[in-house]
Every structure is written in C-alpha cells, then in structure tokens.
C-alpha cells in the first residue's frame, strides 16, 4: 500500500470529553491496537486525552489512528469525521507516496539548513515558516507557480527564506529537483494553517 502523510490539528476540549469517554467505554476494543503492556499504555493515553491531547506521542497517536480506521473499514471520509468528533482534525493529506517522499526531502533539506527538527509535532508558527520556504522552493522550479498569489505576496516579507530557497535550487542538480506539482500542497497547507495558533501534527500512515 502507498504511504500517505496526514496533517492534523487537535481540539483539547472535545478530546477531553468525547475521546476520553470513548476510551473508557471501549477499552476491550482499543487494547488490541496498542503496543506491549497494553493496559498501562491505555491508561497513559486516557490520562493524556483528559489532560491535553497534544501530549500524545507519535506512537500513541498512530495506535489511535489505526483503531479508528479499523472501525471505519478504511472509509476515509468516515474516518476523518469520527476523528474530528473526538478532537483530532485531519485537515489535509498528501495521498500519493511519491509526493510524500518529495515533501519529506524538502523538509529534510530545510531542517538541515536551519539545524532544527520539526518532528511529528510542531507549533504552527514554525511549521508556517517551513511552508513559506516550500512555496518559494517549489515555485522557483516552475515559472507558472511564481504567478501564484502566495509566491508573490510572501516574497517581500520573507526575503531570508526566499534567498535560501533560491540558493538551494541552484545547488541541486536537475535530476535532484522535485516535480513542480508539489507546489500546490505547500500553498494549500499554508492556507489551512496561517491563522492557526496551536500545534500541527504530521503522521505517516499506510
């Protein structure tokens, strides 16, 4: 199966009520989806749902994701609806495995340059700086993308990121440059997060 990349926001108030209560009601159903020491793992997840869902580890979020997915029988629309009702908003996804790899390579280049790690959870401000870099980097590869509103609008206020993106494009060989189609993912993600103040979660999943 192809790897997908999901982008999520959380609603701690909803999770505190709906997710916590669901975990309490359906303990026997969720336990098979947890790793070793299942009972202890479940109690930790319940506590984090009650305190603040953003405390979930990547592994814990993946386990919950698999549990919900199994209950929805791989119906993606139903999966997103159920997750949303329990405090997890899957607001965007990159469904193509080749585009996921390209996105992650651009992210890796960005992290190396700035000597940071966005990880699977990062605050929206840090995430948006990366998206702006991605808009510039992918836009410079394809002149048609440079007519995109974001490219022109963001350029004047982010000259440092533009210069770094431009230098990175020049440093790479032609066969190392990604397909220009990746550009729309950065633009759409930027639109979906530019006013958001919480954490953004990135989760790879088959």
């Amino acid at each position: 199966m192809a790897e997908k990349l999901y982008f999520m926001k959380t609603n701690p108030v909803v999770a505190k009520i709906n997710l916590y209560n669901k975990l309490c009601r359906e303990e026997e159903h969720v336990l098979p989806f947890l790793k070793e020491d299942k009972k202890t793992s479940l109690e930790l997840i319940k506590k984090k749902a009650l305190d603040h869902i953003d405390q979930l580890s990547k592994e814990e979020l993946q386990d919950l994701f698999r549990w919900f997915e199994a209950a929805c029988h791989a119906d993606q629309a139903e999966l997103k609806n159920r997750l949303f009702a329990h405090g997890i908003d899957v607001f965007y996804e990159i469904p193509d495995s080749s585009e996921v790899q390209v996105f992650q390579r651009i992210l890796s280049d960005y992290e190396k340059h700035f000597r940071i790690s966005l990880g699977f959870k990062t605050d929206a401000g840090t995430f948006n700086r990366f998206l702006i870099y991605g808009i510039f980097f992918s836009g410079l590869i394809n002149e048609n993308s440079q007519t995109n509103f974001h490219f022109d609008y963001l350029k004047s206020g982010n000259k440092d990121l533009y210069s770094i993106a431009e230098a990175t494009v020049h440093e790479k060989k032609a066969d190392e440059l990604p397909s220009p189609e990746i550009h729309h993912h950065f633009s759409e993600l930027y639109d979906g997060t530019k006013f958001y103040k919480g954490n953004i979660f990135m989760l790879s999943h088959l």
Side-chain angles (χ1 to χ4, degrees):
M1 295 177 67
E3 182 185 37
K4 299 179 181 181
L5 186 58
Y6 293 97
F7 298 85
M8 306 175 187
K9 303 172 185 174
T10 61
N11 186 326
V13 176
V14 171
K16 184 175 184 176
I17 301 168
N18 294 354
L19 179 59
Y20 176 76
N21 287 334
K22 184 176 178 67
L23 289 165
C24 291
R25 286 195 313 269
E26 302 182 26
E27 286 192 5
E28 295 306 314
H29 292 108
V30 69
L31 284 173
F33 295 92
L34 305 182
K35 303 295 189 296
E36 297 176 8
D37 201 0
K38 296 175 184 292
K39 285 281 189 181
T40 302
S41 296
L42 177 58
E43 290 307 312
L44 284 171
I45 291 173
K46 284 164 61 178
K47 185 178 187 308
K48 291 176 181 179
L50 195 59
D51 292 345
H52 201 301
I53 191 173
D54 282 16
Q55 297 173 3
L56 288 173
S57 69
K58 181 178 182 180
E59 292 72 25
E60 289 166 340
L61 188 56
Q62 284 175 326
D63 290 345
L64 288 178
F65 200 94
R66 290 188 303 112
W67 174 44
F68 275 94
E69 188 175 49
C72 296
H73 306 290
D75 182 330
Q76 290 294 298
E78 179 64 18
L79 172 63
K80 290 177 183 178
N81 287 337
R82 289 199 192 185
L83 285 168
F84 184 80
H86 292 86
I88 302 169
D89 177 13
V90 181
F91 70 95
Y92 195 79
E93 69 175 283
I94 301 178
D96 181 82
S97 58
S98 61
E99 291 188 346
V100 170
Q101 291 171 12
V102 170
F103 185 92
Q104 290 176 329
R105 281 200 302 271
I106 296 171
L107 174 59
S108 178
D109 285 345
Y110 179 85
E111 290 176 325
K112 286 176 185 175
H113 183 88
F114 287 98
R115 298 178 183 176
I116 60 171
S117 175
L118 270 66
F120 102 102
K121 176 178 75 174
T122 187
D123 67 272
T126 301
F127 185 69
N128 267 274
R129 273 186 62 80
F130 162 63
L131 294 179
I132 292 169
Y133 166 85
I135 287 170
F136 293 149
F137 178 78
S138 57
L140 286 163
I141 295 166
N142 181 3
E143 289 184 2
N144 291 333
S145 297
Q146 293 176 39
T147 62
N148 179 293
F149 167 76
H150 295 110
F151 190 95
D152 189 51
Y153 172 76
L154 293 168
K155 191 174 174 182
S156 61
N158 298 277
K159 292 180 180 178
D160 59 331
L161 291 173
Y162 180 84
S163 297
I164 293 163
E166 191 174 38
T168 305
V169 169
H170 290 315
E171 288 168 6
K172 291 190 176 293
K173 298 176 183 177
D175 60 356
E176 295 177 328
L177 293 173
S179 168
E181 283 72 29
I182 197 69
H183 182 81
H184 76 94
H185 290 304
F186 286 102
S187 291
E188 290 169 8
L189 277 165
Y190 179 78
D191 276 339
T193 59
K194 60 186 174 183
F195 299 120
Y196 185 64
K197 302 300 182 184
N199 289 313
I200 304 292
F201 295 79
M202 290 185 286
L203 193 68
S204 297
H205 189 65
L206 294 179

